[in-house]
Amino acid sequence: MPQRTGPYTIVGEAVAYADAEVIFKHVAVAEAWNEWGSFPVRARRERAGEPTPNGVGAVRAIPPARERVVAYAPPRHYAYIAVAGLPVREYRADVTLTPNGAETLIRWEGRFEPRYPGTGPLLSAFLSRMLGSFARRVAHHSAHCEPGCPARLPNVL
């Protein structure tokens, strides 16, 4: 059977009972990922972006991965690329927030090229679950965010 070539696309979606601006802050602020992400290590911003610290060019680390922000349009669109630490090439994730009354649809779409031939289907399944988990976790947390969360700090956008 011939090997598939070309990029894989994966999607995770969730509905949040929170405003798009609140959700956007939780996605854009690296340290807020610690509140909803359930990662074994702490996420942190390594380099500030433009025109704000969390904007285009910002680099965040969630070891072993490092990501750079490539699109920043509050409160509807946020995108980043992996610069290190993932077993794929050319990974890009776009988070699109679509308000609908009191709800917001979170669509977390990723695209990647497998680094090693034959690993695409397994990586696609794993990353699809991961993005779905991200969308559900940020949706839940954004609707129940407690004081002290880094996404609640003033001037984070």
Side-chain angles (χ1 to χ4, degrees), residues 70-71 77 79-82 89-94 109-112:
V70 294
H77 181 230
Y80 57 92
I81 60 171
R89 293 181 298 144
E90 299 180 29
Y91 178 81
R92 177 183 168 126
D94 285 83
E109 182 175 322
R111 287 174 301 289
F112 70 93

Side-chain angles (χ1 to χ4, degrees), residues 47-156:
R47 185 174 72 203
E50 294 292 331
T52 68
N54 296 300
V56 172
V59 175
R60 85 168 147 242
I62 306 171
R66 291 180 67 237
E67 303 163 340
R68 183 171 38 89
V69 177
V70 294
Y72 184 87
R76 301 286 177 95
H77 181 230
Y78 181 83
Y80 57 92
I81 60 171
V83 294
L86 292 182
V88 299
R89 293 181 298 144
E90 299 180 29
Y91 178 81
R92 177 183 168 126
D94 285 83
V95 181
T96 305
L97 305 173
T98 306
N100 184 19
E103 302 173 344
T104 301
L105 173 64
I106 302 168
R107 180 179 173 86
W108 209 305
E109 182 175 322
R111 287 174 301 289
F112 70 93
E113 291 274 352
R115 186 175 303 274
Y116 306 105
T119 61
L122 179 63
L123 289 167
S124 183
F126 171 75
L127 292 171
S128 288
R129 289 184 59 136
M130 183 181 76
L131 294 188
S133 175
F134 285 0
R136 288 186 303 276
R137 286 174 177 273
V138 77
H140 178 78
H141 177 83
S142 295
H144 302 93
C145 184
E146 296 288 329
C149 177
R152 288 179 161 249
L153 296 173
N155 304 315
V156 295

